[in-house]
Structure formats: structure tokens, C-alpha cells
Amino acid sequence: MQITEKNGRKQIWLQTEKELRAYVHPLRQRILQLLALAPAGMTAKQLADRLGIAPSSAGHHLAALEKIGLVRLARTELIHGLTAKYYEAAPADICLRDTEPAAAEMKNALMQDVVNGIYARMMRAARELEEQGKTPGPGDGDTMTGVLHLTRAEAAELHETLLAFFAAHDRPREGTVPYEYAVVAYAAGEMQ
């Protein structure tokens, strides 16, 4: 694992199959998503209740995520004489570009799961709006596809612009709501 920094955010480069396994576990993915949506942080007990698992299991998964830098202790509170630890998602990006060849299949499965999960949650949110009698609008989520014709320099500029935008908006502020996203782009070349 290599850790770098860009735009004020930690970049965690997962390269080995062992590192990917620590990240790819379905419960850990769900924990990361719940923490990202909980600006006040969550305790292992709160996560366990949301996930239907034992608090010790949630604590085990939090420790594994903390070890790779994706979760951090936000604060502690004394509640009924016990110290509650509140965890939050760390401001970090997972980078998978340089994974070992042995981990390629796991990386591909992870990426499919991430994109499919985000799409499924977006569709569920749209259904919930419709059940409330509301018509989903552009601010409620969108899926766009297409082809852009870019030079390598323009593609790099787009990449940097997106990274800077994400870094500038990765923490809650007054009047904001969380938006989950997935961006997939690649140099398609000439398709036959």
C-alpha cells in the first residue's frame, strides 16, 4: 500500500490482493457508505444496529478500515459512564490503477459492485420520491452517458478538475445534502 496526497486528500493506493480484500469486504463497503452519509460519525454499536450485526463485528471491520486509512476516530463521548468512540470516513480516495496482476479479477469485481451499488441506491431514492408523489428532478440524481473527444491533455485536465471539485465538497456544510457518485471514463480509441 502506498499513500500519497493530492488536493488536500489522502490517496491510498491498494496494490496487493491482501490490501484489496481488506477493502472489498461487503460489510466494510456498507460501513464506509454509512459513515460517508453520517457527518456526526457513528459508533460501532450504531453501525451494528444499522447492519444487523454484533457490535464486536462492527468494531473488527472498523479496525480493518482504520488500518488502511479509510476510517478515523472523530471523537469520544462519555455516555452513562462509558466512553463511546465515534468514527468517520477519512477524507481519502482509494486508487486501484497500479494493482498487481493477481488482484486484477478482484479489482474488476469491486468496480462493478461499486458502480452497480450506487446505481441501485439512486434508483431506490427515485422510487421513494415517486412513492411520495414527487417527480425526481435534475437535483435528485441523474445518469449520463456519451462520448467525449479529448486530447490527452484535456483528459488530464478533466481528471484534475473533477478531483479538485470532489475534494472541495467532501465534507458537510450548512445547507448541503450528500450526493453519491460514480464517474467512469476511459480512452475508448477506435472501436471496431
Side-chain angles (χ1 to χ4, degrees), residues 50-64:
R50 290 286 302 272
L51 297 169
I53 61 175
S56 60
S57 180
H60 164 77
H61 291 296
L62 281 167

Side-chain angles (χ1 to χ4, degrees), residues 22-23 25-38 47 62 65 68-71 88-90 94:
Y23 175 65
H25 192 286
L27 274 175
R28 292 178 189 160
Q29 289 296 304
R30 186 73 177 117
I31 287 169
L32 288 170
Q33 200 244 350
L34 287 171
L35 290 176
L37 295 173
L47 286 165
L62 281 167
L65 291 166
I68 60 173
L70 290 175
V71 167
E88 66 183 2
I94 288 292

